[in-house]
Amino acid sequence: MSAAGPGQEGSYGEELPDEPYVLSHLDALESEAVHIFREVAGEFERPVILFSGGKDSIVMLHLAL
């Protein structure tokens, strides 16, 4: 990682964005999902995840891990 500031060149000569950190669309969705998991885990004594083995369940399991 480079310690370059906004508008400066990074370690490979590429122009760095003016924003310090930008999430991709998938990273933002993952972050929101993990946030929801943490809220639920904090609110309930024994939260559960229903698992059917399908695509959605596998994604939920991955996020929970």
Side-chain angles (χ1 to χ4, degrees), residues 1-52:
M1 266 197 334
S2 173
Q8 297 178 355
E9 287 188 7
S11 58
Y12 296 104
E14 77 278 4
E15 183 72 18
L16 294 177
D18 290 334
E19 301 168 21
Y21 187 73
V22 179
L23 291 176
S24 72
H25 181 67
L26 287 177
D27 287 335
L29 289 174
E30 180 183 18
S31 177
E32 184 177 354
V34 169
H35 176 74
I36 292 169
F37 269 110
R38 289 180 176 160
E39 281 185 348
V40 170
E43 190 168 328
F44 296 99
E45 187 176 323
R46 295 179 62 191
V48 298
I49 297 174
L50 300 177
F51 184 79
S52 67

